[in-house]
Amino acid sequence: MYEERPSRLAGAVVWTNRPADTGVGRVLPDGCMDLLWNDGRLLVAGPDTRAYVTDGESSSWAGVRFFPGTGPGLLGVPAHEVRDRRVELGDLWPAVEVRRLCDRVEAAADPVTALEDVALARAAAVDAPDPVLRRVVTALDAGRPVAATADELGLGARKLHRRCLSAFGYGPKTLARILRLQRALALARGGTAFADTAVRAGYADQAHLARDVKELAGLPLGELLGRRVGGAP
């Protein structure tokens, strides 16, 4: 069973996933990075460009999903270096520190809260997120064109691309496409007709929505909505 709640870390979400069976799991791209806890290990989930599919995963997972663009500053790795990957935190941080944190989470009465505490402590030790990155997310999630977003932020197209690559793992056009997918899924899950979902989410038409969902999620929209989506790392 998948559950989530807002984190005490601004903009983040804390989640747990305890699969009831060993079937296929599917995590859709959302522009985020996660700090994960699984079987005594700390891992980092990089930003996905396509659905991340798990097969036969029966162990429990917990995670802190950071607001888009904030993960690299907290985890100390450019997003594009872990794009479409799940890596051990020990590959990114000193092994002694990671072992200490693993022992702390393992010994906690509530490992999920302990994992959140790790994220909060890290946030307190590093620089605050660049506010420009949140403005990028806000503009693109509102459907603003990439060129207009760059102009409004006082950034050239190339500089915006470089900033996005480091912060989100891909360029602004891909980020905009992924945010549009998430808008569409929220509407469709809420019962909005697919044709209306396409218009309201910013697609040219329903066929455009269908193609994009199939490419990014790996399933047709109707089939996707018939399954529980998201959560498993």
Side-chain angles (χ1 to χ4, degrees):
M1 180 175 64
Y2 175 78
E3 297 178 324
E4 68 175 42
R5 62 169 172 80
S7 173
R8 289 171 286 149
L9 178 63
V13 171
V14 176
W15 58 267
T16 57
N17 189 49
R18 301 176 179 88
D21 54 45
T22 57
V24 172
R26 187 176 300 268
V27 185
L28 304 188
D30 56 10
C32 300
M33 293 174 62
D34 292 52
L35 178 63
L36 307 174
W37 173 253
N38 171 253
D39 289 343
R41 300 178 301 155
L42 286 168
L43 304 97
V44 170
D48 294 318
T49 57
R50 297 290 187 273
Y52 184 85
V53 178
T54 64
D55 189 4
E57 180 58 73
S58 60
S59 60
S60 297
W61 290 78
V64 180
R65 181 178 303 118
F66 303 113
F67 186 82
T70 63
L74 293 168
L75 298 171
V77 59
H80 64 86
E81 292 188 8
V82 290
R83 181 177 54 232
D84 294 319
R85 299 173 58 200
R86 274 58 177 161
V87 301
E88 298 279 350
L89 185 63
D91 293 338
L92 307 175
W93 292 10
V96 172
E97 181 178 2
V98 174
R99 283 197 298 271
R100 178 180 62 80
L101 293 175
C102 284
D103 291 342
R104 174 182 171 184
V105 177
E106 186 79 60
D110 180 9
V112 178
T113 299
L115 180 67
E116 184 181 23
D117 289 341
V118 169
L120 285 164
R122 181 68 177 181
V126 300
D127 294 336
D130 185 347
V132 170
L133 299 176
R134 184 176 285 269
R135 293 173 63 192
V136 170
V137 174
T138 299
L140 296 181
D141 195 30
R144 295 289 292 158
V146 170
T149 298
D151 289 343
E152 291 165 2
L153 296 176
L155 301 171
R158 291 184 179 179
K159 187 172 183 180
L160 176 61
H161 185 86
R162 289 196 299 270
R163 295 281 288 273
C164 285
L165 196 64
S166 178
F168 307 108
Y170 24 67
K173 289 185 178 180
T174 299
L175 176 62
R177 189 180 176 208
I178 286 170
L179 293 174
R180 183 177 61 187
L181 169 72
Q182 291 294 332
R183 291 198 303 275
L185 290 175
L187 288 166
R189 288 187 186 119
T192 303
F194 289 178
D196 291 338
T197 290
V199 173
R200 292 174 60 182
Y203 292 91
D205 51 31
Q206 187 175 336
H208 183 199
L209 166 66
R211 289 194 302 272
D212 227 40
V213 170
K214 183 65 179 298
E215 185 172 346
L216 291 173
L219 289 174
L221 181 56
E223 186 176 351
L224 190 64
L225 294 178
R227 304 184 179 191
R228 186 187 58 75
V229 178

